[in-house]
Amino acid sequence: MAAAAAAGGEEEWKLPPHPKIPKGKKVTIIILDGWGENIPDRFNAIAVAETPAMDHLKTTAPERWRLLKAHGPAVGLPTEDDMGNSEVGHNALGAGRIFKQGAALVDTAIETGLIYEGEGFKYLKEAQPNGTLHLLGLLSDGGVHSRYNQLQALLKGCADQGFKKIRVHVLTDGRDVREGSSLDYVTTLEHDLEELRKRGVDAQIASGGGRMAVTMDRYENDWGVVKRGWDAQVLGEAPHQFKSCLEALKTLKENDPKLNDQYYPPFVIVDDEGKPVGPIVDGDALITFNFRADRMVMAAKAFEFEDFDKFDRVRVPKIKYVGMLEYDAEIKLPKHYLVAPPHIGETSGEYLVHNGVRTFACSETVKFGHVTFVWNGNRSGQFSETLEEYVEIPSDQGISFNVKPEMKAIAIAEKACEALHSGKWDQVRVNLPNGDMVGHTGDLDATIVGCTVVDKAIQLMLEATEKVGGIFLITADHGNAEDMVKRNSKTGEPVKDKKGKYQILTAHTCAPVPIAIGGPGLLKGAQFRTDLPTAGLANVAATFINLLGFEAPKDYEPSLIEVVE
Ligand SMILES: O=C(O)[C@@H](CO)OP(=O)(O)O
Ligand SMILES: [Mn+2]
Ligand SMILES: [Mn+2]
């Protein structure tokens, strides 16, 4: 039992040998980020792209190819309408179980009111009666990093709890929700703030910017993004000043029609005298209201660390800072939070090091943490310095990935091939980002190029796996590139906007994802079971643990494979 393993000694971590599958075969695990299965029309970038390697797997070995659920409750999200995402997807892949995720945990904490009773909120209230409460996060209904109804509930709840002055620092989305929808969200927010003002609360938007340009960088790809946020939110400094957020969004887009919600530059809201209405100062309180970790870790460090050398903070306000969730349980960041995150322990990585399995993991910066930190249950670092090596290939910086849709897929594959040939590793695990990262730009042609390159990278790794007599397992964390257009939910027909242009879909989807296994090291009779029709990403960990020659921990979701004689 995994729980026993955590409590007990080394023996508890030992996994019995698989009754049929031998140990010692190298296993290549390839995660295709944002690669779902969908009808093959012209908005399906994967279907349009040349993908001979993936097509071959699907058509030549149907008993070793199937689909998996990668959205909604299958990955711990509240409802079937919740699209998948990298965090919940990689958590499920690495941990082999389904955990109620941040989105759901926050919903419950708000519904029960417990969010206001925990240590986090009490800490926040120490800023009363004089401190301003700041709320910083993604203005979105995507449910990937945040959800608007949670912000709405918090605004009201914080006013009920006695905060008299509230400032909101908005990050516009356009990645998980429709491009251009920031105007709608800000309009709704202004209305909600007006309601608070009627109750005598001084409530305003204080600053803003697009999520990809301001604050929400991840895996230390570009600290400049976090600095731009800091300057606007804390120092009240930005290249643009406006009287209102709506004016900011409209004017900036008028001046640069190519600008999209994801990339709004930072701006500060100022009063009639031109003074910023809400810089964060000593004595204030701050909630970062995103529940998802990866894109809040860097900002949380800037707000919380005394020793910090990533950029000059100029002024470090003494504030009561809480995260919606704890973003990194290993380093306890931030120290105070409103809702406890799911405890994702006893992950496959931890089991495997206890069983002597040597693992090499690699991706480029923008997805590096997905196959390491997130795979390991949002835990920093390695389980073993000697049995594991994590290699990060630097991502291109400061560009939108449609400009270079090849990204580092081939370099990642080459590193994996080297690792396979070195003989030093039993498990070689990579994430290929293109389907997702280019898919998020909404640029169909570029996404097609990205998917073509992914298939070439797959081919390289399949050949290396072949040469070393290994086994491969290819799957994805959620859909994205397989659908690049908004569709009528009833008919499935692509939707056009008022100008007659197809409405681009930059977001993830609820599509299932493929999984394929094979390679010369795989036993002849090994194939997918047919009695698990609703299996999802959480069934993958037991599967690769089997392929490495072990039985999976008993509390893991069942393995997808059987060995027929
Ligand atoms: O870019 C991100 O932060 C999300 C979308 O909001 O994508 P992914 O879950 O694939 O990382
Ligand atoms: Mn992803
Ligand atoms: Mn994504």
Side-chain angles (χ1 to χ4, degrees), residues 129-191:
N130 297 324
T132 301
L133 171 68
H134 300 262
L135 291 131
L136 161 63
L138 185 67
L139 208 56
S140 171
D141 267 335
V144 175
H145 295 272
S146 66
R147 196 162 357 85
Y148 188 73
N149 64 349
Q150 295 179 348
L151 171 63
Q152 207 166 31
L154 265 187
L155 283 169
K156 189 173 167 300
C158 290
D160 293 345
Q161 294 285 328
F163 281 101
K164 294 273 177 284
K165 188 170 170 190
I166 295 179
R167 292 291 180 266
V168 187
H169 302 264
V170 305
L171 303 170
T172 54
D173 189 353
R175 190 172 175 90
D176 302 332
V177 293
R178 180 175 57 80
E179 156 55 23
S181 60
S182 61
L183 280 178
D184 303 336
Y185 288 107
V186 169
T187 304
T188 308
L189 175 60
E190 288 290 12
H191 175 264

Side-chain angles (χ1 to χ4, degrees), residues 33-34 84-86 144 175-176 211 218 292 295 367 370 436-437 440 477-480 506-508:
D33 216 293
N85 69 69
S86 291
V144 175
R175 190 172 175 90
D176 302 332
R211 57 177 285 175
R218 66 178 165 206
R292 175 157 152 181
R295 291 192 187 273
K367 296 288 177 183
H370 289 27
D436 184 65
M437 295 302 287
H440 278 307
D477 61 341
H478 54 76
N480 184 339
T506 55
H508 298 168

Side-chain angles (χ1 to χ4, degrees), residues 10-48:
E10 192 55 30
E11 267 318 295
E12 310 285 347
W13 287 101
K14 289 285 177 259
L15 296 170
H18 191 277
K20 293 183 180 159
I21 302 172
K23 286 187 192 134
K25 301 290 180 199
K26 298 193 175 3
V27 177
T28 310
I29 300 176
I30 305 173
I31 309 301
L32 310 177
D33 216 293
W35 189 287
E37 182 76 5
N38 188 25
I39 47 161
D41 69 7
R42 73 187 184 89
F43 296 103
N44 179 337
I46 299 168
V48 178

Side-chain angles (χ1 to χ4, degrees), residues 31 78 85 115 138 189 230 255 315 320 327 363 369 383 493 515 524 541 557:
I31 309 301
N85 69 69
I115 198 162
L138 185 67
L189 175 60
W230 181 273
N255 294 347
R315 177 171 64 75
K320 306 294 175 198
Y327 299 129
S363 189
F383 292 109
E493 285 300 307
I515 178 168
K524 236 171 154 236
E557 293 295 319

Side-chain angles (χ1 to χ4, degrees), residues 260-418:
N260 60 44
D261 287 356
Q262 299 189 53
Y263 283 92
Y264 269 113
F267 54 85
V268 165
I269 308 304
V270 293
D271 61 16
D272 291 339
E273 276 82 56
K275 247 181 78 199
V277 300
I280 302 175
V281 300
D282 283 354
D284 284 354
L286 167 67
I287 305 174
T288 47
F289 63 81
N290 288 11
F291 43 73
R292 175 157 152 181
D294 59 353
R295 291 192 187 273
M296 273 296 138
V297 162
M298 293 165 73
K301 286 179 177 169
F303 282 113
E304 188 145 295
F305 282 4
E306 267 175 39
D307 288 328
F308 179 88
D309 59 4
K310 303 302 180 184
F311 58 84
D312 182 3
R313 290 179 292 183
V314 182
R315 177 171 64 75
V316 185
K318 291 190 184 55
I319 56 171
K320 306 294 175 198
Y321 166 46
V322 306
M324 182 70 111
L325 252 72
E326 183 182 35
Y327 299 129
D328 186 333
E330 189 70 11
I331 60 168
K332 308 223 173 310
L333 180 82
K335 283 197 210 70
H336 304 273
Y337 47 88
L338 297 180
V339 178
H343 172 72
I344 308 179
E346 298 93 43
T347 56
S348 59
E350 191 159 17
Y351 267 107
L352 292 174
V353 297
H354 283 285
N355 287 275
V357 173
R358 302 161 305 168
T359 292
F360 176 90
C362 174
S363 189
E364 62 173 280
T365 313
V366 291
K367 296 288 177 183
F368 174 66
H370 289 27
V371 272
T372 54
F373 170 80
V374 187
W375 189 272
N376 293 335
N378 294 3
R379 179 191 184 281
S380 293
Q382 292 148 254
F383 292 109
S384 161
E385 294 284 326
T386 48
L387 291 174
E388 291 178 297
E389 185 174 328
Y390 297 167
V391 170
E392 174 184 343
I393 297 181
S395 285
D396 291 316
Q397 272 194 14
I399 57 162
S400 165
F401 286 103
N402 56 335
V403 177
K404 239 179 139 194
E406 299 80 9
M407 301 186 69
K408 305 293 176 198
I410 298 297
I412 294 166
E414 283 168 352
K415 273 273 177 267
C417 294
E418 248 174 63

